Amino acid sequence: MNQIKETIASTVAEILANDALPAETLRDFFDTPPDPAMGDIALACFKLSKLLRKSPMVIASDLSSALAAKPIPGVAKVENAGGYLNFFLADSYRVSLLAEMLRQGENYGSNEIGKGKTMVIDYSSPNIAKRFHIGHLGTTIIGNSIKLIHRFSGYDTVGINYLGDWGTQYGKLVVSFKKWGDEEVIRREGIEELNRLYVLFGTKAEEDPPLNDEARKEFALLEAGDEENLRLWRLFKEISLKEYMKTYELLGVSFDSFNGESFYSDKMPAVVEELKEKNLLKIDDGASLVDLEAYNMPPCLILKRDGSSLYPTRDIAAALWRKKEYAFDKCIYVTSAGQSLHFAQWFKVVGLMGYDWEDQLVHVPYGTFSINGEKIASRTGNVVLLDDLFQEAIEKAGAIIEEKNPGLENKEEIAKDVGVGAVIFNSLSANRIKDVNFNWSEALNFDGNTGPYAQYTYARACSILNKSEAFTCPESGTLCDEEKALITTLALFPERIVRALNEYEPSIITRFALDLCQSFNRFYNACPIRSAEKEEKAIRLSLCQAVKNVLGCALHLIGLRTPEKI
Ligand code: ARG
């Protein structure tokens, strides 16, 4: 579609022959008319009015007469309506677009914006010894999708799970374990027991505040390399990771590195030294900080009064290390919007340190996740555990599948794909910064704007193709309205990818997938395939094939699986 816009723009530029209006400028003046009956591409002539000192009506009418003498290949007709020039694409041009999409196969929609570039993405990053809860869902699935979109755009990607595995909380866990824990129970019960010990420490420390000093001591020992404490810490980490890996597998999410906060513990003193040398540190009441008043931000805390490092210090050390290790062109951090200030502060500190890559650091914030309506059972009370959430989704999806298609093979696997897909799709439907409210009947409605609906549409395209004979897409032909509209939608895919990439916004792909499903289902209801004539049938099957490719690709980019049968 972009190509024809280019051709139209350069033809119009030739006619206007005005240095101030080259094709590159004109290109930005094109819109898509709200209704296909008004054409496929519109030029809003009021945008040229000031420069040409003519009314939009006169410009449109002059241009349309000039264009009558200068037909553009691929454009069937040009209409002049109320100051707009509306271009109608020729059917044969559209069919040639379709043939081209099929030739590109799985690559259709991809681009080379990131060719030769590396992006690092820090996402999911839970704090170990805590169970995965609904608060971790956003970073995990948004991060995964942003990574996949970058890869599809030619970037080399490095996915990092920056585990929260360092800090005084591990001192607390060590104290709690030594006083009230049992290794055998931990090995048996896993993270649940770690969580219990951590919560228990909190309650006990409320009654007995000196416990906090003990925890600080244990952490100091851990930092100093005490063998027993290190052994325990490794055990806590191993047990936590085991549980997280199960969730990652269920979601189909993977990482290239698990270097967490602890990995940087020996790299922090050098950062503190560098900040000192560069005269950026200020001592305030015993603590060290970087003053950011000039940037309208509170100071960035680097060292506590007792000399221990803080979250921003570790992030700075990690960024410096990653820059050296991966030579990234951008490094993205996906967290809830609650951490926006933290990132703005330490990004600034990196800039003040004199690094010219401050603007390659990108924070991608998102809103909160909650469950609406039906309350979900959770063993720990008010936090919703991801495990429980997904189990419930899978069960409910299973029940619906059982009712719709009792003879389906591999039902359990498919219920997993559909249940998990429903949660992901629902969570990525609206702009990421908006709060996500979860509603089961909405998320699992096979006829609504949902993951199951999209997966079901995909399976429908597969089933048509599986039953059909071989076909090749013609290079030209005639089309009905539904076929035209479907090609128009398919043709939008490449630009939607670029938008999703630039805006770090997976929901652009989610919404595109829904538009595509709607457009395909309209076509499917209006256009018989089996009884169609040879050429017509080849076009229709080609459309099914293109929908299978593009919808499949779009759904994978947001992290859904696409079973061929549901
Ligand atoms: N572990 C942190 C948390 O659970 C998130 C880490 C985000 N990444 C980072 N580089 N700070 O809140």
Side-chain angles (χ1 to χ4, degrees):
M1 203 63 109
N2 275 342
Q3 225 158 356
I4 192 111
K5 263 188 213 160
E6 297 290 330
T7 319
I8 298 176
S10 53
T11 312
V12 173
E14 250 171 63
I15 295 172
L16 292 175
N18 185 322
D19 286 345
L21 288 170
E24 300 85 76
T25 311
L26 286 169
R27 212 169 33 195
D28 295 335
F29 297 163
F30 290 109
D31 283 321
T32 309
D35 174 358
M38 295 161 73
D40 301 294
I41 296 171
L43 177 63
C45 295
F46 69 88
K47 295 185 181 166
L48 312 179
S49 213
K50 208 163 161 198
L51 244 162
L52 298 177
R53 294 162 187 259
K54 285 186 202 163
S55 78
M57 316 291 167
V58 173
I59 298 171
S61 126
D62 287 357
L63 279 175
S64 82
S65 343
L67 282 165
K70 225 177 169 29
I72 303 172
V75 174
K77 103 181 143 163
V78 185
E79 259 177 21
N80 140 31
Y84 279 85
L85 264 191
N86 293 331
F87 298 84
F88 292 76
L89 299 182
D91 283 358
S92 54
Y93 173 73
R94 253 188 259 260
V95 178
S96 74
L97 280 183
L98 176 64
E100 177 54 26
M101 284 173 206
L102 294 187
R103 267 193 294 278
Q104 292 184 25
E106 305 213 318
N107 287 330
Y108 174 65
S110 66
N111 63 71
E112 298 197 331
I113 294 174
K115 201 172 167 196
K117 294 188 187 151
T118 299
M119 72 83 97
V120 167
I121 182 159
D122 175 319
Y123 67 112
S124 198
S125 311
N127 297 332
I128 62 166
K130 290 206 185 138
R131 296 203 63 188
F132 240 10
H133 61 79
I134 192 160
H136 295 111
L137 185 61
T139 166
T140 309
I141 61 181
I142 294 170
N144 182 50
S145 176
I146 290 178
K147 183 180 80 178
L148 297 176
I149 294 166
H150 276 76
R151 199 180 289 162
F152 198 51
S153 300
Y155 280 89
D156 280 327
T157 61
V158 183
I160 299 183
N161 193 325
Y162 180 69
L163 289 173
D165 58 1
W166 209 240
T168 32
Q169 66 266 40
Y170 301 101
K172 294 182 185 170
L173 205 55
V174 169
V175 171
S176 190
F177 172 78
K178 286 185 177 169
K179 288 194 188 300
W180 309 292
D182 179 338
E183 196 161 327
E184 221 175 90
V185 182
I186 290 191
R187 289 193 187 273
R188 197 177 56 231
E189 306 278 321
I191 200 158
E192 185 120 25
E193 172 65 4
L194 292 181
N195 212 50
R196 188 189 71 83
L197 287 172
Y198 188 74
V199 173
L200 184 65
F201 179 90
T203 346
K204 296 274 187 188
E206 246 173 54
E207 297 156 12
D208 183 12
L211 275 176
N212 286 311
D213 298 324
E214 267 183 64
R216 265 190 288 276
K217 263 184 227 141
E218 293 288 9
F219 180 62
L221 277 175
L222 178 61
E223 273 195 305
D226 176 81
E227 280 204 9
E228 175 59 5
N229 280 10
L230 264 177
R231 189 186 72 82
L232 288 176
W233 171 79
R234 279 196 204 103
L235 174 72
F236 300 159
K237 185 164 166 175
E238 181 199 323
I239 282 175
S240 311
L241 261 180
K242 221 189 211 159
E243 152 125 353
Y244 299 156
M245 291 317 279
K246 274 193 252 157
T247 308
Y248 292 139
E249 210 169 287
L250 188 67
L251 289 172
V253 169
S254 64
F255 300 89
D256 302 293
S257 159
F258 284 89
N259 284 343
E261 296 188 39
S262 68
F263 178 79
Y264 299 98
S265 60
D266 64 350
K267 298 169 183 62
M268 266 148 0
V271 172
V272 177
E273 218 29 61
E274 191 177 333
L275 286 166
K276 254 189 226 156
E277 264 166 35
K278 293 183 171 163
N279 268 332
L280 292 167
L281 278 195
K282 237 173 86 175
I283 310 293
D284 188 48
D285 198 18
S288 307
L289 49 83
V290 179
D291 186 60
L292 296 174
E293 208 181 325
Y295 309 96
N296 283 324
M297 285 187 280
C300 181
L301 291 174
I302 300 295
L303 290 178
K304 280 197 228 164
R305 247 198 312 184
D306 63 6
S308 54
S309 65
L310 285 147
Y311 189 44
T313 330
R314 293 196 275 274
D315 257 327
I316 296 169
L320 296 180
W321 188 86
R322 288 173 188 173
K323 184 69 185 175
K324 275 210 190 94
E325 177 73 10
Y326 303 112
F328 58 71
D329 295 276
K330 50 179 159 174
C331 184
I332 299 169
Y333 299 83
V334 188
T335 76
S336 72
Q339 296 196 29
S340 294
L341 178 61
H342 161 75
F343 285 98
Q345 286 175 302
W346 77 257
F347 286 180
K348 192 79 224 163
V349 174
V350 168
L352 291 173
M353 288 169 89
Y355 294 107
D356 60 2
W357 41 271
E358 177 195 340
D359 57 359
Q360 293 177 351
L361 302 170
V362 184
H363 178 228
V364 175
Y366 60 85
T368 58
F369 281 62
S370 55
I371 312 260
N372 219 7
E374 202 177 329
K375 243 198 130 178
I376 172 165
S378 145
R379 276 157 293 182
T380 40
N382 51 3
V383 293
V384 175
L385 300 178
L386 276 192
D387 252 3
D388 296 347
L389 179 72
F390 285 121
Q391 280 326 311
E392 186 153 355
I394 294 167
E395 267 165 42
K396 285 184 194 273
I400 298 175
I401 291 169
E402 187 61 53
E403 198 187 299
K404 275 188 171 290
N405 193 355
L408 185 68
E409 272 173 51
N410 233 348
K411 261 185 275 185
E412 265 169 43
E413 216 33 52
I414 292 169
K416 238 188 228 177
D417 295 345
V418 174
V420 170
V423 174
I424 297 179
F425 197 94
N426 188 275
S427 309
L428 298 180
S429 286
N431 284 7
R432 60 178 153 72
I433 205 68
K434 293 220 176 110
D435 294 345
V436 174
N437 247 327
F438 214 80
N439 181 306
W440 283 116
S441 52
E442 258 170 40
L444 284 163
N445 180 357
F446 274 58
D447 303 314
N449 289 334
T450 63
Y453 164 71
Q455 284 169 321
Y456 195 68
T457 306
Y458 177 85
R460 170 175 282 166
C462 291
S463 131
I464 298 168
L465 291 165
N466 288 339
K467 283 188 222 139
S468 80
E469 63 270 37
F471 61 92
T472 27
C473 184
E475 291 295 326
S476 65
T478 49
L479 300 169
C480 67
D481 286 349
E482 289 79 10
E483 292 167 326
K484 279 187 207 169
L486 182 51
I487 296 177
T488 305
T489 310
L490 285 162
L492 289 173
F493 189 45
E495 58 193 73
R496 291 299 154 86
I497 296 286
V498 175
R499 263 185 56 208
L501 176 81
N502 290 338
E503 295 173 27
Y504 305 100
E505 189 59 85
S507 67
I508 291 174
I509 312 253
T510 314
R511 283 195 291 253
F512 169 77
L514 284 175
D515 288 345
L516 183 55
C517 290
Q518 258 158 27
S519 187
F520 175 69
N521 286 326
R522 251 182 246 131
F523 151 80
Y524 177 79
N525 290 326
C527 308
I529 297 177
R530 244 193 247 229
S531 58
E533 293 303 324
K534 193 163 183 292
E535 182 178 278
E536 200 172 47
K537 191 176 197 173
I539 290 178
R540 292 181 181 172
L541 287 170
S542 300
L543 280 167
C544 294
Q545 182 65 51
V547 167
K548 179 183 171 187
N549 295 355
V550 174
L551 184 57
C553 181
L555 294 179
H556 293 159
L557 286 173
I558 51 173
L560 264 71
R561 294 196 179 92
T562 48
E564 295 222 340
K565 286 185 186 158
I566 294 186

